[in-house]
Amino acid sequence: MNIKTILVEKANAAMLAAGIPEGSNPAVTQSTRPQFGDYQINGAMGAAKALKTNPRELAQKIIDNLDVSDIAAKTEIAGPGFINIHLKPEFLSASIEVANQDNKLGVAEHVAPQKVVVDYSSPNLAKEMHVGHLRSTIIGDSVVRALEFRGDSVVRQNHMGDWGTQFGMLIAHLEDLLNQGVDLESVALADLESFYRDAKKRFDDEEGFADKARNYVVKLQSGDAHCEKLWHLFIDTSVKHSEEVYKRLNVTLTRDDIMAESAYNSELNNILTLLKDKNIAVEDQGAQVVFLDELANKDGEPSVFIVQKSGGGFLYATTDLAACDYRSNKLGADRVLIFVDARQSLHFNQVELTARKAGLLRDETSYEFCPFGTMMGNDGKPFKTRTGGTVKLADLLEEAISRASDKLAKRDSGICDEEREEIARKVGIGAVKYADLSKHRTSDYIFNWDSMLSFEGATAPYLQYAYTRVRSIFRKSGVDSNAFSASVSILEPQEKALAIKLLQMEEVLDLMINEATPHVLCGYLYELASLYMTFYEACPILKEDVTSDVRDSRLVLCNLVANTLRTGLDLLGIEVMEQM
Ligand code: ARG
């Protein structure tokens, strides 16, 4: 159910009937103020300009042909030619009743589902996951959840970095430790950060080690069984580390979603041959290079995209071209969404241009690089530890939980310790996720513990608390909220505002999945919770002088608010609780 879509269809028909040529934008929007109605059709102005006629007169012609009697109580022209639509309370009541009885809140599934490949999280396995991977992981995961909720078919791809020269150094170091009998799980690889540091130190300082490391890279690439075994051992442990983080973060990625860089190894030669045959890649100083005039600099020099190094080695770039081929030609994706730091935008631009020329990406596949900004510390610089090191994601999440626990302990809520730990986990993780997801994807933002854990303002704790408040009404009223339904009547303006907001979930989800921007859902849930608070103040529910019809009608609104908050937060990967 999507009020906007209904109005767009009706407005299109009316515009056509009013003599406006097809394709003119009806420009339907939500009204910003109640006096402008609930929705507006703003397309008369644009059309009048094109037809060189009077916009108010054209607006009147549109209204004369507009068939909205089933949904609108009133339509009126305002200003230079806006058409304000006031929705009918009966239409809202009936739609709320339907949404309340639907386990998808009245949000329809796509009639023509798309196949969407989503590349997200994608950490490098040589090191521990750090805060830079937080954004890709949680933004990607919430978009994936929303796509699936709308009925699209999603292929998750965790494009893990498991290949490259640093693995020679790592497995050479690993081998020595194994020979010394060091326990792998609990000692050597318990902390990948220090393992990497030790290996790097040996690579730089220890005689003969660098040669051995390079030799192992070559062996690994030629399929040497011993090196491969060591490599698998290392990769497996590193993957386990990320799985722990995924579990903590409540993201849906599993081992089956891993489509790491090495998965494309056998294709890289074919990709190169194709690029050479089509004269897309040419030799330059021993390397194979694609020159891209489309991305030329101010001096007209083409952008340089290396697909094979002079020594014959392939790169991150070559792998991404192979990934295009797999996703577009093999999987037949309609969309490919890639959630990566904005600093890689040139790379993905080069990948797309090259892949399109080579036919590695079909025209029918939309390739969408979805960049995100940097998480900053309070000093306005990229988020680091006190000593300037990278912050391990696992540590950050533990700190979130312990801070949430301290905060909850200060509230006298009568909840036992064990339950409180569970709540602290949901609040702490939720707070980190909401604080991140609620910012526009492409902006940099400042990471601040106090504001994200606050119970006031747009935060996860505020929304989780709002949810518990709605739920407590059902506990007090004694009605069973499972499958609760009743007939709804919209009487007060606060009820109308709340009902309209509730019916906008589909609109919000569409925006979120089209633009890959979870912040729109975050903002929506906050507005919904705020409108609920206003409604709750103005419209008594369980007071004695409220008739049972009014009480039940309001309880339906409460029920749908609770379900929408829970479902919406779940699409963000944030859990709710019954009490806090
Ligand atoms: N592993 C890369 C990094 O940590 C991100 C990979 C993103 N996906 C891709 N297809 N290149 O920066």
Side-chain angles (χ1 to χ4, degrees):
M1 148 80 191
N2 190 329
I3 300 172
K4 186 171 169 179
T5 314
I6 297 175
L7 280 172
V8 167
E9 267 170 35
K10 290 178 182 285
N12 273 332
M15 286 170 73
L16 217 54
I20 298 167
E22 205 163 340
S24 183
N25 183 3
V28 174
T29 62
Q30 293 173 16
S31 301
T32 48
R33 287 194 212 157
Q35 65 262 38
F36 301 148
D38 306 309
Y39 278 80
Q40 292 171 207
I41 299 172
N42 299 334
M45 277 90 71
K49 203 166 172 198
L51 295 174
K52 299 195 173 65
T53 64
N54 179 312
R56 272 189 81 98
E57 279 166 23
L58 194 60
Q60 187 55 54
K61 268 198 206 149
I62 296 174
I63 288 189
D64 294 343
N65 289 286
L66 190 63
D67 176 19
V68 288
S69 54
D70 49 344
I71 68 170
K74 189 168 83 176
T75 51
E76 67 202 354
I77 301 177
F82 298 107
I83 300 172
N84 296 340
I85 313 279
H86 299 258
L87 295 170
K88 242 187 190 169
E90 301 80 0
F91 162 70
L92 297 174
S93 315
S95 306
I96 291 286
E97 284 168 19
V98 171
N100 181 53
Q101 298 214 26
D102 177 13
N103 57 15
K104 297 201 84 173
L105 315 164
V107 174
E109 296 214 339
H110 279 156
V111 208
Q114 287 194 310
K115 182 160 206 175
V116 189
V117 170
V118 186
D119 174 336
Y120 70 110
S121 192
S122 310
N124 292 327
L125 295 178
K127 296 189 180 183
E128 204 108 354
M129 274 177 96
H130 58 80
V131 301
H133 296 112
L134 174 72
R135 301 212 70 192
S136 175
T137 306
I138 65 179
I139 299 172
D141 203 56
S142 60
V143 172
V144 160
R145 287 170 187 247
L147 285 163
E148 289 186 332
F149 191 78
R150 284 292 269 134
D152 283 337
S153 127
V154 175
V155 182
R156 295 165 175 76
Q157 286 195 344
N158 194 344
H159 192 92
M160 286 176 152
D162 64 343
W163 204 247
T165 49
Q166 74 270 50
F167 286 96
M169 168 183 101
L170 293 171
I171 62 175
H173 182 51
L174 182 64
E175 181 180 46
D176 290 344
L177 292 181
L178 282 175
N179 288 339
Q180 289 161 26
V182 174
D183 176 355
L184 211 64
E185 297 263 320
S186 59
V187 183
L189 295 176
D191 180 353
L192 289 182
E193 238 19 63
S194 53
F195 183 88
Y196 188 93
R197 238 180 289 125
D198 294 347
K200 180 79 170 76
K201 198 163 179 322
R202 291 184 69 192
F203 187 87
D204 291 339
D205 303 343
E206 190 180 308
E207 206 175 305
F209 186 76
D211 287 335
K212 182 176 169 185
R214 284 192 202 103
N215 181 23
Y216 274 26
V217 177
V218 177
K219 280 189 165 180
L220 195 55
Q221 282 171 345
S222 57
D224 174 85
H226 174 65
C227 282
E228 228 168 72
K229 207 171 133 204
L230 289 167
W231 174 76
H232 272 296
L233 203 60
F234 181 88
I235 295 297
D236 193 56
T237 315
S238 183
V239 167
K240 278 191 197 133
H241 284 249
S242 20
E243 283 178 321
E244 279 163 30
V245 173
Y246 296 151
K247 193 158 168 244
R248 258 281 176 257
L249 268 179
N250 186 33
V251 298
T252 59
L253 281 169
T254 69
R255 224 165 235 257
D256 293 341
D257 303 318
I258 298 175
M259 186 71 192
E261 289 182 14
S262 64
Y264 299 101
N265 282 351
S266 61
E267 294 305 317
L268 302 181
N269 265 317
N270 299 338
I271 299 287
L272 185 73
T273 308
L274 177 84
L275 293 176
K276 289 205 303 204
D277 287 350
K278 295 196 167 187
N279 279 327
I280 296 169
V282 294
E283 204 209 296
D284 189 61
Q285 298 167 49
Q288 289 295 328
V289 178
V290 180
F291 291 104
L292 295 162
D293 290 323
E294 298 88 339
L295 300 174
N297 65 14
K298 310 192 264 326
D299 301 327
E301 291 156 349
S303 168
V304 174
F305 187 49
I306 305 177
V307 292
Q308 187 181 37
K309 289 192 274 193
S310 57
F314 294 117
L315 308 98
Y316 186 57
T318 334
T319 307
D320 263 319
L321 291 171
C324 285
D325 187 35
Y326 180 71
R327 294 163 179 179
S328 180
N329 291 318
K330 195 91 162 251
L331 297 179
D334 298 299
R335 295 176 76 188
V336 176
L337 306 181
I338 303 171
F339 292 90
V340 185
D341 192 298
R343 285 168 283 198
Q344 292 192 31
S345 78
L346 173 62
H347 167 79
F348 284 101
N349 233 323
Q350 294 175 319
V351 169
E352 180 175 8
L353 278 169
T354 306
R356 295 248 183 246
K357 287 186 194 180
L360 298 169
L361 264 182
R362 295 172 305 132
D363 291 346
E364 295 78 13
T365 303
S366 140
Y367 191 73
E368 303 169 40
F369 169 58
C370 309
F372 51 80
T374 308
M375 182 166 133
M376 307 288 207
N378 277 326
D379 56 1
K381 298 200 188 111
F383 193 77
K384 289 269 156 64
T385 59
R386 257 173 232 277
T387 52
T390 44
V391 179
K392 275 208 245 169
L393 194 44
D395 294 345
L396 181 97
L397 299 179
E398 288 323 305
E399 182 168 354
I401 296 170
S402 99
R403 281 176 183 262
S405 174
D406 292 348
K407 242 189 131 166
L408 290 165
K410 290 198 189 98
R411 292 157 62 99
D412 184 22
S413 52
I415 291 172
C416 71
D417 286 354
E418 197 180 308
E419 232 176 297
R420 198 170 57 225
E421 281 321 294
E422 179 64 6
I423 296 173
R425 185 184 61 75
K426 294 178 178 176
V427 170
I429 299 295
V432 170
K433 292 179 88 168
Y434 189 89
D436 187 296
L437 294 170
S438 59
K439 310 298 182 310
H440 193 289
R441 174 163 55 69
T442 57
S443 1
D444 296 343
Y445 79 94
I446 292 186
F447 185 90
N448 183 292
W449 286 118
D450 292 332
S451 59
M452 77 178 73
L453 283 163
S454 168
F455 279 85
E456 276 144 46
T459 65
Y462 171 81
L463 292 171
Q464 288 165 322
Y465 182 60
Y467 176 77
T468 64
R469 284 200 36 188
V470 191
R471 295 288 299 162
S472 79
I473 290 182
F474 285 92
R475 277 196 300 278
K476 278 188 216 139
S477 71
V479 290
D480 179 7
S481 61
N482 287 319
F484 177 76
S485 72
S487 93
V488 173
S489 38
I490 303 293
L491 310 168
E492 304 295 333
Q494 294 85 355
E495 289 176 298
K496 188 179 179 203
L498 184 61
I500 292 176
K501 189 58 78 182
L502 283 166
L503 296 172
Q504 286 168 341
M505 180 72 161
E506 187 176 308
E507 237 172 273
V508 168
L509 291 181
D510 278 354
L511 194 59
M512 164 171 172
I513 63 183
N514 290 341
E515 315 264 312
T517 47
H519 77 275
V520 299
L521 177 58
C522 292
Y524 170 77
L525 295 175
Y526 177 63
E527 287 159 23
L528 178 67
S530 308
L531 284 176
Y532 172 77
M533 298 300 177
T534 315
F535 153 81
Y536 183 78
E537 296 301 322
C539 306
I541 303 168
L542 302 179
K543 292 229 172 78
E544 270 168 29
D545 53 350
V546 176
T547 67
S548 64
D549 284 353
V550 170
R551 182 196 72 165
D552 287 354
S553 168
R554 290 183 178 160
L555 280 174
V556 170
L557 286 173
C558 291
N559 198 38
L560 191 55
V561 169
N563 290 342
T564 306
L565 284 175
R566 190 185 53 243
T567 306
L569 286 170
D570 182 61
L571 295 178
L572 299 171
I574 297 173
E575 295 171 84
V576 293
M577 44 272 175
E578 292 301 309
Q579 290 180 59
M580 71 192 285

